[in-house]
Structure formats: structure tokens, C-alpha cells
Amino acid sequence: MSGTLDGLTIIEIGGIGPAPFCGMMLADHGAEVVLVHRPGAAPDLRDPLNRSRARLVEADLKTPEGAALVRDLARTADGLIEGFRPGVMERLGLGPDALLADNPRLVYGRMTGWGQDGPLAPAPGHDIDYIAVSGALHAFGRAGEKPTPPINMVGDFGGGGMLLAFGMVAGLLKAQRTGRGDVIDCAMTDGSSLLMSMIWGFRQNLPAPLPPSLAWRDERGVNLLDTGAPFYEVYETSDGKYVAVGAIEPAFHIALMRLTGLGSDPDFAMPFDPDQWPRLKDRLAAVFRTRTRDDWCSDPDAQAACVAPVLSMTEAPDHPHNRAREAFVTAQGVMQPAPAPRFRDSPARRPE
């Protein structure tokens, strides 16, 4: 059996972070990804982001010979991905106009922070900057506290590498259908904004069934999903560990009341009243501190209440569910997440 992208060849111009993540996604699912790297800077293949590559090619793109090598590779490839600032590939003679002139079917993926145009396009930056300008960073954090960057999941990987992988697959489908490739301008600031689409709807009190009291407020830690609500929060347990509570729907909330023994408490009769949330959170916090994390999570009502243990990276691979699904694998001595998503008839490559 072959991966879903078997038969496709992608040229990856070596970089860091989101572009290699896109290359990993495509390679995991069967594409032949040829990773081009600078002389003397061969990538460490133990790094999960570098796994599944078909082969490595050394080339100094600043030399005519190196640029010619990449151009030759691109003539027969289905796609190319790069993560330089705007204009760099053009100055090397490897911009999309040149490569699509050689190969009209080529899908040319460009991964940047700010995009190919706009006043910030040439500026340096990192994930934290891109999600700051998109409005996403403002939403992460607790009430009364400064914004907390969600490491670099939202800009680099969710709004960057994952979105570029989607763009590449969409472009490849178009090329197969029409015989014409395309150029993908994937900007992390655009992607992080896109990931906030549901919250933008909530901000305008959509969808309509939401109670008006739950309209999203443009401040941290006071809303339904940002630790404002007592039933969507992380609580410390007696052993200094934590449980995650996601008891939003009424049936889950009833189970949470059973689990905590607060079912007969009149204070919890109106859980969707934001004015009561700070006080209800204090009550729940006191209850959760009376038992250990694992004791809470082994309670029969825990799953019904959408209560889960907050596992460390050390613990997560050994969780029974993760073990059953083989969600983590070890390759070259490195523990790492297994490829995803899963296809029934075309399984992804297993990292080796």
C-alpha cells in the first residue's frame, strides 16, 4: 500500500520551522520530498521535522551551479516549497516566474511570516509577532494578565506549515485537473487570523443560538473558551498536577456536578451567567484540590464530565489511548508524534 501522495515529487528548499513541517506532512503521506540543503549543513534526520525525506541534495544556491541544480530538479517536479523572505528566490534566479516557465504544472509554495506583499512583507519576525498583529495573541491568557504565547503552535505550525500543506495539496489537485500549476502565498499572520474564524463569529454573537450573555468580549479570560467559564478550565489537584474540564453542554455539566458533589448546590443552577463565573471557579478549584489527578480521572463520572488529565510530554506516550492508537513512535532513538491524519487504505509512512 502507498500513501495518498505517492507518485508526487516535491522539492523542499531547506529552512526551519513551518516549511519543514509542511515537507514532513507531505513526505509522511507518500510524496517523494527532495530536501535541498546548504553545503556543510546537512539536516539532522533524527529531527522529526526532517523525517520521511526521499533524499538529500547539497547545493549552494548563491552559485550558478547550485541554482541550476535546483532549476533542473524543478523541471520534472510536481511542487516546490521555500521559506525565504520575499524576493530572495527571485534574486537567486529561482523565483516562481522562472520555474513555472520551465514547468507550467509546478505548484510553488511560499512560506513567510508577513506574506509576499504589504508594508511588513520585508520585515523580520517570529511566530509571536505574526500572531500579535493578527489579533490572535491578544486572546490567549487569563483575566487581568498579559497575553501568553501558545508556544509557536498557532503561527508557525497551525497557521503556517499546516496551511501551506493544505495549499500545496489544493494546488496539486488543480494542476492535475487543469495542467496548470500555481503560486501559493502562505503567510503565518494570515493563517493565525484564519484559525480565529469561530471566535470572530462569537465576537459578533454568531451563531444565533448562543445566549447573548456569551457573546465574545474582546478581553482575555472572561469568555466561554478562554478560561473564563468554570466548566472550561484547568484545575490543580492535591498532588500539584492538573485536570482539564470541558463540561460545556448540559449533560456534561450534570456529570461534572455528580463528579464534584456539587449537584445540589444552588450556586451552580445557572452555569451560563458570566457574572457568577469567578465565584464558581473558586468553588470548583477548592473541590479539585481535595483529590489527586489520577484519582479524579479514574472516577466513573470523569469521562462523562469531559474531565481529562493534563499530561506532560513525558507522560503522554504512555497513556492507554495513545498507546492503543500508536499515537507516538520512536525513530532513530527519538520519541515523536506519529503521522496524521490516518487513511484507511493508504497509510502514511512510519518514521524509521
Side-chain angles (χ1 to χ4, degrees), residues 28 42 51 84 95 100 102 162 174 215 239 242 244 288:
D28 279 349
R51 72 191 185 195
F84 294 130
L100 267 75
D102 293 341
M162 189 73 73
K174 176 203 167 186
D239 51 354
Y242 298 89
F288 276 112

Side-chain angles (χ1 to χ4, degrees), residues 55-100:
R55 59 192 173 107
L56 305 181
V57 172
E58 183 176 280
D60 184 351
L61 304 188
K62 296 181 180 179
T63 67
E65 296 79 12
L69 174 59
V70 171
R71 191 159 181 170
D72 188 54
L73 289 170
R75 283 189 176 92
T76 57
D78 298 286
L80 179 144
I81 56 176
E82 57 96 357
F84 294 130
R85 290 191 203 175
V88 170
M89 289 290 278
E90 282 82 354
R91 290 194 291 274
L92 295 170
L94 298 171
D97 290 345
L99 298 194
L100 267 75

Side-chain angles (χ1 to χ4, degrees), residues 309-324:
V310 177
L311 302 177
S312 68
M313 291 175 68
T314 301
E315 295 174 302
D318 287 327
H319 188 277
H321 185 78
N322 293 333
R323 286 205 311 271

Side-chain angles (χ1 to χ4, degrees), residues 85-336:
R85 290 191 203 175
V88 170
M89 289 290 278
E90 282 82 354
R91 290 194 291 274
L92 295 170
L94 298 171
D97 290 345
L99 298 194
L100 267 75
D102 293 341
N103 178 4
R105 295 177 60 91
L106 186 72
V107 177
Y108 194 114
R110 317 196 79 173
M111 180 79 263
T112 61
W114 302 115
Q116 296 296 315
D117 53 40
L120 288 174
H126 277 295
D127 178 294
I128 193 171
D129 306 300
Y130 313 136
I131 70 174
V133 170
S134 73
L137 179 57
H138 176 78
F140 304 136
R142 295 185 174 278
E145 298 182 6
K146 64 183 180 181
T148 300
I151 47 181
N152 60 337
M153 296 295 96
V154 174
D156 280 350
F157 297 108
M162 189 73 73
L163 202 64
L164 181 58
F166 166 80
M168 290 298 294
V169 172
L172 291 163
L173 288 171
K174 176 203 167 186
Q176 288 184 351
R177 188 177 70 253
T178 67
R180 298 189 305 276
D182 214 328
V183 183
I184 302 162
D185 176 3
C186 185
M188 289 174 247
T189 192
D190 296 346
S192 63
S193 176
L194 183 67
L195 293 176
M196 291 280 287
S197 296
M198 185 179 75
I199 305 305
W200 279 94
F202 286 175
R203 178 81 178 103
Q204 295 161 88
N205 204 27
L206 301 170
L210 275 177
S213 63
L214 296 185
W216 198 270
R217 295 158 60 186
D218 197 14
E219 56 183 292
R220 285 178 297 286
V222 297
N223 297 289
L224 182 68
L225 301 175
D226 64 357
T227 75
F231 46 80
Y232 202 88
E233 177 56 296
V234 174
Y235 292 100
E236 186 174 6
T237 54
S238 65
D239 51 354
K241 298 180 181 180
Y242 298 89
V243 292
V245 176
I248 298 177
E249 289 81 0
F252 303 152
H253 189 266
I254 291 170
L256 177 64
M257 293 298 95
R258 287 199 309 267
L259 176 68
T260 57
L262 295 170
S264 60
D265 192 319
D267 286 348
F268 287 88
M270 298 182 63
F272 288 106
D273 180 359
D275 291 338
Q276 304 301 318
W277 285 355
R279 186 164 57 87
L280 299 185
K281 286 175 66 174
D282 288 343
R283 298 283 305 283
L284 280 169
V287 172
F288 276 112
R289 281 195 293 266
T290 64
R291 296 165 65 181
T292 68
R293 181 195 68 183
D294 294 345
D295 189 22
W296 280 113
C297 293
S298 64
D299 191 295
D301 281 318
Q303 286 188 15
C306 295
V307 172
V310 177
L311 302 177
S312 68
M313 291 175 68
T314 301
E315 295 174 302
D318 287 327
H319 188 277
H321 185 78
N322 293 333
R323 286 205 311 271
R325 288 185 58 80
E326 298 182 326
F328 294 88
V329 297
T330 299
Q332 300 194 52
V334 178
M335 178 68 73
Q336 56 196 277

